C-alpha cells in the first residue's frame, strides 16, 4: 500500500460500529494511484459465439463488493489495509474484438508497473490484448506464460475473424510459444478433436476436467504455475467462469454440468494470486442476463476477494 493511500481513519463511524454495515471489499477500491493492485473493467461483448450480456460484468462485480467483508474467518486474514486502484472501464461501446485490441491493451499496459492488474470482462476475447499488454511490460511474448482455467481450448479457426472462441489461436499466431501455455479444466463434449490435436501439436499443456477432479484443481494449478514460472518471466491467468459446474454457475453460457466446484475455483484463485510471477488476470464469460438469485454476482465477488487474499499473502 502506498503511503499516499492511508487506511480509513480510526474515527470512521463504520469502524466504530458494525450495527448497520461493515468494512467491505468495495471500501478498498478508489482512485489510489499508488496501489499495488488495479482493477480494470473491460466490457467487451461483441462477437460472442453465444450472444449475451457479458458487457455487464464490470458493473455487476462492483455492485456486489459491498456485500463481502474484508475478513477471512477461515484463516484470520484481514484485507483492511489493502488498497486497489479502480481504473474504471475501457470505453468499448460496440467494438469488435479486433477493434478493441488496441484500446484494451493500451489501458492494461498503462496500469503497469504494478504487482497485479485484474481485468473484469467481458467475453474471452479480452485475454489476447491482456497478454500483449503484459508482454509489453515483460519484454516480449516469449517471456510471458498463459494459464487458462476454462472448459474450452479457445482454439477455433481464425478465418472468420476474432471471436471469444479463438484468443488462444490468435496468440499462437502472434508468436506466443505453445510451451508457454497451460490449459486446465477442459471439458468432455465441449471441444473438438481438431482443437485438441492443435493444442498438442503446439506444445500446450492440456489437463482435462477429469484429471483436475482426480488430482485436485489446486494441485494441477500449482504444477502448471511451477512449470510456467520455470521459463517465463511473467504469467497471465485467464479465469473463464464457464469452468465451474453449471449447477453452481448458471450465468455462463458455456458452462456445462459436471464442471469444477465453486470451492475448488476459489481455492485455485487464491493460489494463483499468491504467485509472484502472476502479474495480470482476467475473469471472462459472465452473462448477467442469465443471472439467478445473484448467484453469479456473489461468485464474482468471492473470486475477487480470493484474488486479493492471495495477493496479500505474497511474501
Amino acid at each position: 500500500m502506498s503511503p499516499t493511500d492511508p487506511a480509513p481513519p480510526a474515527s470512521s463511524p463504520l469502524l466504530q460500529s458494525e450495527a448497520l454495515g461493515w468494512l467491505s471489499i468495495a471500501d478498498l477500491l478508489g482512485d489510489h494511484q499508488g496501489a499495488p493492485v488495479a482493477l480494470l473493467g473491460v466490457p467487451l461483448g461483441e462477437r460472442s459465439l453465444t450472444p449475451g450480456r457479458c458487457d455487464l460484468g464490470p458493473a455487476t462485480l462492483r455492485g456486489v463488493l459491498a456485500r463481502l467483508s474484508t475478513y477471512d474467518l477461515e484463516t484470520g486474514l484481514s484485507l483492511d489495509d489493502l488498497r486497489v486502484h479502480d481504473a474504471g472501464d475501457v470505453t468499448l461501446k460496440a467494438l469488435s474484438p479486433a477493434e478493441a485490441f488496441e484500446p484494451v491493451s493500451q489501458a492494461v499496459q498503462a496500469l503497469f508497473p504494478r504487482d497485479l492488474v485484474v481485468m473484469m470482462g467481458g467475453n474471452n476475447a479480452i485475454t489476447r490484448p491482456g497478454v500483449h499488454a503484459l508482454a509489453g511490460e515483460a519484454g516480449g511474448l516469449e517471456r510471458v506464460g498463459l494459464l487458462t482455467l476454462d472448459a474450452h481450448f479457445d482454439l477455433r479457426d481464425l478465418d472468420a475473424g476474432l471471436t471469444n472462441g479463438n484468443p488462444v489461436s490468435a496468440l499462437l499466431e502472434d508468436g506466443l510459444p505453445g510451451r508457454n501455455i497451460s490449459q486446465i479444466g477442459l471439458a468432455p463434449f465441449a471441444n473438438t478433436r481438431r482443437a485438441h490435436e492443435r493444442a498438442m501439436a503446439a506444445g500446450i499443456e492440456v489437463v482435462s476436467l477429469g484429471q483436475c477432479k482426480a488430482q485436485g484443481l489446486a494441485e494441477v494449478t500449482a504444477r502448471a504455475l511451477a512449470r510456467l514460472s520455470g521459463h517465463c518471466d511473467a504469467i497471465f491467468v485467464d479465469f473463464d467462469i464457464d469452468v465451474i459446474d453449471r449447477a453452481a454457475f448458471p450465468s455462463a453460457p458455456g458452462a456445462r454440468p459436471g464442471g469444477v466446484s465453486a470451492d475448488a475455483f476459489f481455492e485455485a484463485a487464491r493460489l494463483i494470486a499468491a504467485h509472484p510471477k502472476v502479474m495480470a488476470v482476467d475473469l471472462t464469460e459472465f452473462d448477467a442476463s442469465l443471472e439467478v438469485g445473484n448467484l453469479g454476482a456473489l461468485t464474482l465477488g468471492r473470486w475477487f476477494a480470493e484474488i486479493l487474499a492471495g495477493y496479500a499473502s505474497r511474501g
Side-chain angles (χ1 to χ4, degrees):
M1 183 179 68
S2 166
T4 62
D5 300 320
S11 59
S12 167
L14 186 59
L15 298 184
Q16 290 179 344
S17 173
E18 295 182 349
L20 299 177
W22 55 22
L23 193 66
S24 72
I25 298 295
D27 294 313
L28 307 183
L29 273 62
D31 185 16
H32 304 306
Q33 295 290 336
V37 179
L39 171 66
L40 178 69
V42 190
L44 181 62
E46 296 299 313
R47 303 221 67 203
S48 292
L49 296 175
T50 303
R53 294 305 308 274
C54 289
D55 57 301
L56 298 177
T60 302
L61 175 64
R62 291 189 181 94
V64 79
L65 293 181
R67 298 184 63 181
L68 288 95
S69 82
T70 57
Y71 177 66
D72 176 16
L73 179 146
E74 297 285 358
T75 64
L77 175 69
S78 173
L79 299 175
D80 291 4
D81 293 333
L82 182 64
R83 292 294 168 268
V84 178
H85 175 56
D86 189 344
D89 292 353
V90 185
T91 301
L92 297 175
K93 297 181 181 178
L95 297 186
S96 70
E99 294 166 330
F101 177 82
E102 286 297 332
V104 173
S105 60
Q106 290 173 7
V108 175
Q109 192 161 3
L111 295 172
F112 292 117
R114 278 188 172 85
D115 295 340
L116 182 64
V117 175
V118 180
M119 301 167 61
M120 179 63 216
N123 68 30
N124 221 149
I126 74 171
T127 299
R128 178 175 173 246
V131 171
H132 274 269
L134 183 55
E137 178 69 12
L141 283 172
E142 70 280 357
R143 297 176 179 272
V144 175
L146 171 63
L147 170 61
T148 73
L149 281 70
D150 196 336
H152 307 97
F153 282 107
D154 291 340
L155 280 167
R156 289 177 182 258
D157 295 321
L158 295 164
D159 54 356
L162 296 175
T163 69
N164 67 335
N166 58 22
V168 179
S169 293
L171 283 166
L172 287 173
E173 187 170 273
D174 293 339
L176 182 68
R179 76 186 193 106
N180 288 18
I181 305 173
S182 291
Q183 298 191 272
I184 66 180
L186 298 151
F189 304 106
N191 295 282
T192 65
R193 180 186 298 276
R194 182 173 178 174
H196 192 183
E197 291 176 346
R198 181 175 293 172
M200 301 305 292
I204 294 172
E205 180 185 32
V206 174
V207 186
S208 72
L209 175 59
Q211 290 173 297
C212 290
K213 288 186 171 184
Q215 301 169 25
L217 184 61
E219 176 62 28
V220 169
T221 299
R223 287 204 305 268
L225 289 170
R227 187 185 78 84
L228 292 174
S229 64
H231 63 277
C232 298
D233 295 334
I235 298 173
F236 186 102
V237 182
D238 166 39
F239 291 89
D240 184 331
I241 202 78
D242 69 21
V243 76
I244 298 178
D245 187 345
R246 194 176 184 96
F249 200 92
S251 306
R256 307 295 177 93
V260 304
S261 71
D263 283 345
F265 186 75
F266 297 145
E267 182 181 11
R270 187 179 296 210
L271 178 68
I272 286 166
H275 197 286
K277 285 194 175 182
V278 172
M279 296 179 62
V281 303
D282 68 27
L283 188 140
T284 62
E285 300 298 330
F286 164 73
D287 183 348
S289 70
L290 302 177
E291 186 69 299
V292 178
N294 288 326
L295 180 59
L298 288 166
T299 302
L300 298 186
R302 173 69 182 274
W303 169 82
F304 188 63
E306 294 292 346
I307 290 293
L308 297 184
Y311 172 75
S313 71
R314 293 187 184 184

